[in-house]
Amino acid sequence: MTRQMMKKNQVLSLSLTVGLLLITGCSKNGSGDYPITPVPFTSVKLTDDFWAPRIKKNAEVTIPIAFSYCESTGRVKNFEIAGKLDTGKFQTIYPFDDSDIYKIIEGASYSMQTYPDPKLDAYLDTLIFKIGKAQEPDGYLYTNRTIAEMHGGEGLHEWASKNRWELDSVLSHELYNLGHLYEAAVAHYQATGKRSLLDIALKSADLVNKDFGWDKCRVYPGHQVIEMGLVKLYRVTGEKKYLDLARFFLDVRGPKGEEYNQAHLKPVDQKTAVGHSVRATYMYSGMADIAAIENDETYLTAITSIWEDLVYGKMYLTGGIGATGGNEGFAEPFNLPNMSAYCETCASIGDIFFNHRLFLLHGQSKYYDILEKTLYNSMLSGVSLSGDRFFYPNPLESNGQHNRQAWFGCACCPSNVARFVPAIPGYLYAVTKNELYANLYISNEADVTVGKNRVHISEKAGFPWDGKVSMTIAPENNVTFSLKIRIPGWAMNEATPGTLYKFRNQNDKKVAITVNGDVFKFVPEEGYAVIKRSWTTGDRVNIEFPMPVRLIEAASEVKADEGKMAVQRGPVIYCAEWPDNKDGNVLNLVIDKNAPFTSEFSPSLLNGSVVVKTIGRQAKRSIDGNITLSEDENISLIPYALWNNRGPGQMMVWLPFEKSAAKPTPAPTIAFRSTITASKTTRALSSINDQFEPANSNDHSYPYYHWWPDKDSWQWVQYDFEKPETVSGTKIYWFDDGPDGGCRIPDEWELLYRSGNKWIPVSVKTPYTVSKDKWDSVEFEPIQTKAVRIRVKLNKDFASGIHEWIIE
Ligand SMILES: [Zn+2]
């Protein structure tokens, strides 16, 4: 884990944009742009009661608390010190902490356009003043180095080196910070008309342009995002040098670097989604920008095959991506464990950026199928209903060890949520000169321009709970264009593009469309019903998307989902969660696959939500190891994105219908009935006696307990029994995530029992062994005691961990 945790800390995030893409249809210097233009969020006012309250909550809760954490953690003070407005050392943990402020400024800039807020506007001015002060005279901006240089170099982060830029392809994150600065600057300029942050950004970009190039510094960005940021600077200024620089940062990458940050090959030669998934999606988005603006087929070919690799084998049903925590990224195809699924919130947002851009290039609905799935499920899971708690990973199964947090040392995810949510209305519509795309169905009032014609749209939609949509079209003058109504894959019996997931049964109910009351017959073109006519004020289009409960199964290659099925209704993926099911048990459920599934709207549950009900049984393991099933019970399912709003506990998306696929309630063994304590207390302690046997020591699909980052020390774990027990044997299964992680099997261990106040080693009859990928068992002279403890000696260079510890 050393390496993985270190990498975790390198994480970053992205930027958004919908607003920006739009800005200029016209490109300078003869280059092109996306053939389809999104309608900016500023032209679309949501009036629904699912998303609009989330955007309001983001403005009222998320953005203010995110700024308050930036203040209280010292992120703001770093700029004050670097700008000589205060004194001291670098205040925070990571050199990329500057980026959080930029991202939240970006989010606040978007948010103010929906919720005008003069106080926030003034606060941004003070932050921008501090950022400007922290910028060095030549444009360099990186508070860690600037502060360290004030102290003779002391305090320079270990990820940075004495010279600027030198370690950026590894860990310094200098260019990463700047990418977010550029995105924030453009957002702030567009929101307020003020050039304050934009001028800082341009001064910085001009320095980067001076320092980097084929005959100058050729370091590639260790964490991508500056590519998108530079494209936005190009769009807002029309200066081609920024576009060229964006392309340089892509073309200079690889081929001899690491897969971890997609530097193993030249980007144009990449065909698969590998490595850190946030870096990956930011890079793919940057490549899409270049493909569109420069009409570059090589980039287009690369991102097309990467998209297929990702969607056909590496995406969770929730839209989450990045299966493994060690690299915060992609695993091999079909390796999609549920409980340990990483699915970083930032990666969901990055994948939305990527799919949005692919749609703008191709006008195909399949990209929106992924975007919509991610939006309603994996991305939305990243933030609580209250707007002040966040998930970093978004697993598809939990034993209660997961719980949203208020903030993180590495705060990429909350700051990404803060800037993404206000821009959601920008994903509803897109236009060409004679087409209007309706891509997401959320009640709204919108003003769009198709060609040169202004058109007002008034829409009422019941999504995601009900599939009825009513659109009223009001062009300024009668005008002919094609209204392209997106027919989601889920409404056409396609669970996802490709064969990774499929519906268990066909749904014969067709999508019904009427125009001014007349049935409109259609055959979908690229996933759209195309209504081409001369539109007149008051024209009405009604659509009904059938939303029965659908059951889904995964391709047989996905071992984690074998013998299981998942539930979807409309775009929403469902899960079983502890408060709704008997005794809080969820992981042990076995669903009756032939039972009916019904749905109903529950106005009081989770701010109003459709729940799904069915029948199932609980599997229990008895002391002799057999698995038994309870009588039939009612099972309730809630939308996955809304889990963990009622406290931590069990949750499961993929529901076993085979007993063999269930995780039975543990047998009432001595270990299971014990109270566990340890030298290091974490939420994972309960994994030690959960009776889930791993496939090997590096199995991340079940929870495990570890001491990382401790090493070279004695640690312990203890069972306190309910009453005195006579025991004579123990066995333990170690966690070891070598060679990549920081845990290895320990150097040695021993078992002690408590006698009075003393801990006494047991008299072993068989020797202690230390093994990887199997149990280490020890028999000893029977003793009667109320508590046992294992002492574990960690290796001098590594931590250790435990999957399971049994006492008999
Ligand atoms: Zn993140």
Side-chain angles (χ1 to χ4, degrees), residues 11-13 278 344-347 392 410-414 416:
V11 170
L12 314 162
S13 300
V278 183
E344 183 178 338
T345 301
C346 289
Y392 199 120
C410 168
C412 55
C413 294
N416 234 340

Side-chain angles (χ1 to χ4, degrees), residues 251-298:
D251 288 344
V252 77
R253 193 169 205 88
K256 292 193 176 144
E258 289 188 60
E259 275 197 359
Y260 173 73
N261 59 13
Q262 298 82 35
H264 57 303
L265 292 169
K266 289 279 176 197
V268 289
D269 295 328
Q270 297 189 24
K271 294 185 169 58
T272 58
V274 296
H276 188 276
S277 49
V278 183
R279 293 165 203 245
T281 51
Y282 289 3
M283 183 176 87
Y284 307 152
S285 299
M287 290 170 72
D289 286 346
I290 296 295
I293 297 169
E294 304 203 327
N295 197 15
D296 188 314
E297 283 292 327
T298 61

